[in-house]
Amino acid sequence: INKSTNQQINQSTPMIQTVENTAFRAVPAAINLQFDGWRLRFNHAATRRANSVWPDADLGHHSLVEKLDAVETFYRDHGMAPRFQITSAALPVGLDEVLAERGYANTQVNDVQTAQIPQVLAASTTAPALTLTLTPSWTPAWLDTYCAIEHVAAHRRPIYDAMWGRVRAAKAFGVVAVDGQPAAVGLCVADGEWAGLFNIATHPDFRRRGAALALIHALAGWASEHRAANFYLQVRSQNEPALALYERLGFSTLYQYHYRELAISCAKNEKANAG
């Protein structure tokens, strides 16, 4: 990394931490264990973010090897592969390289994008007039549609229900209907000046009919009423249709993060070799 890149990372770190802290409250895991500055999250395998380590601080009370051993024990005890969510603000510096050397695979890259809500409202005024409902909690129609689009098994639905119930900030669950059928869903969480967009999904049978645009326009209006000034969202870096829509609405990438994941068998072997 050259000097100018280091300067850019250092300058962006406070904003990354602000957005990540807001997202931490919007996607609360069932278990949050703080260990020497790291946050170990477990949420019964529902969402990668809520089932990963967020290394946002390093208190320096333990060596890196001790911390990695503790992480691998924690996730092994919960029957999951150890996973880290890595941004350029991850601590200690060089953690990503250490994880790669330890056998952690890079499993997914995501863009965190932001936009000013007034700009999103203005850019989405061309949304078609579709039937749309916003509620402060999920409804059966919302959850049925989301689970159908994302192929969520019935036995996992209570996990999502419990996670959303832990969110203390204001929430809006949106459902858009096309031809009388639920076509798109999304969730907005307003927390201070930031509002996060989550679970934006359109059923394949109703894509390219403006459902997502209408949904985001409505959620932008709701977020504005709750005094939020900025949106943030997470999108896979290779999701070209979603990226094109968000660019049209004025979103741009603030930073990226990726996951480093160690297969459970590898984690067991590491512990066996260490012992």
Side-chain angles (χ1 to χ4, degrees):
I1 300 177
N2 59 37
K3 182 177 180 180
S4 62
T5 302
N6 270 323
Q7 290 175 340
Q8 291 174 358
I9 290 173
N10 291 337
Q11 291 170 355
S12 65
T13 293
M15 183 61 73
I16 293 173
Q17 291 176 335
T18 294
V19 174
E20 286 296 320
N21 268 294
T22 308
F24 179 81
R25 295 188 294 270
V27 189
I31 296 175
N32 284 293
L33 175 64
Q34 295 201 33
F35 182 69
D36 202 21
W38 289 357
R39 306 194 199 192
L40 284 57
R41 300 172 289 191
F42 172 72
N43 198 50
H44 306 282
T47 85
R48 286 176 179 260
R49 173 177 285 271
N51 290 280
S52 64
V53 178
W54 178 27
D56 62 317
D58 181 20
L59 301 183
H61 300 316
H62 297 271
S63 70
L64 183 53
V65 170
E66 290 173 335
K67 293 172 77 166
L68 291 173
D69 285 345
V71 164
E72 290 164 13
T73 297
F74 174 84
Y75 285 103
R76 185 182 69 245
D77 290 348
H78 287 87
M80 285 189 57
R83 180 187 297 132
F84 283 77
Q85 181 200 347
I86 300 295
T87 71
S88 61
L91 293 173
V93 174
L95 174 61
D96 192 39
E97 291 77 9
V98 172
L99 292 174
E101 292 174 358
R102 197 173 172 99
Y104 282 74
N106 187 336
T107 58
Q108 182 176 306
V109 181
N110 298 279
D111 289 8
V112 175
Q113 298 199 323
T114 61
Q116 295 181 346
I117 290 175
Q119 183 179 358
V120 175
L121 273 171
S124 58
T125 53
T126 58
L130 300 173
T131 302
L132 192 146
T133 304
L134 297 182
T135 56
S137 61
W138 64 262
T139 63
W142 193 99
L143 192 56
D144 287 346
T145 305
Y146 176 75
C147 291
I149 295 171
E150 299 296 335
H151 307 289
V152 176
H155 71 276
R156 295 169 61 82
R157 291 166 62 123
I159 301 172
Y160 287 89
D161 183 23
M163 180 177 69
W164 293 322
R166 290 190 291 269
V167 178
R168 297 299 174 229
K171 303 181 289 292
F173 291 77
V175 179
V176 177
V178 175
D179 298 335
Q181 299 295 320
V185 296
L187 165 63
C188 185
V189 179
D191 185 349
E193 67 176 282
W194 289 95
L197 292 174
F198 299 94
N199 308 109
I200 305 294
T202 303
H203 194 283
D205 294 344
F206 297 103
R207 287 175 182 161
R208 300 185 182 278
R209 298 182 65 175
L213 185 63
L215 174 63
I216 293 174
H217 182 75
L219 292 175
W222 176 88
S224 181
E225 292 173 358
H226 284 74
R227 301 183 179 180
N230 304 295
F231 266 143
Y232 71 93
L233 57 81
Q234 297 117 19
V235 57
R236 290 192 181 188
S237 299
Q238 296 181 337
N239 188 343
E240 294 182 1
L243 288 168
L245 171 62
Y246 297 142
E247 182 179 10
R248 172 183 171 187
L249 293 174
F251 284 87
S252 61
T253 298
L254 177 64
Y255 62 94
Q256 291 184 320
Y257 67 88
H258 61 274
Y259 291 103
R260 285 281 182 187
E261 186 171 313
L262 184 68
I264 292 179
S265 59
C266 292
K268 288 180 179 178
N269 289 336
E270 287 284 350
K271 292 298 293 182
N273 293 336

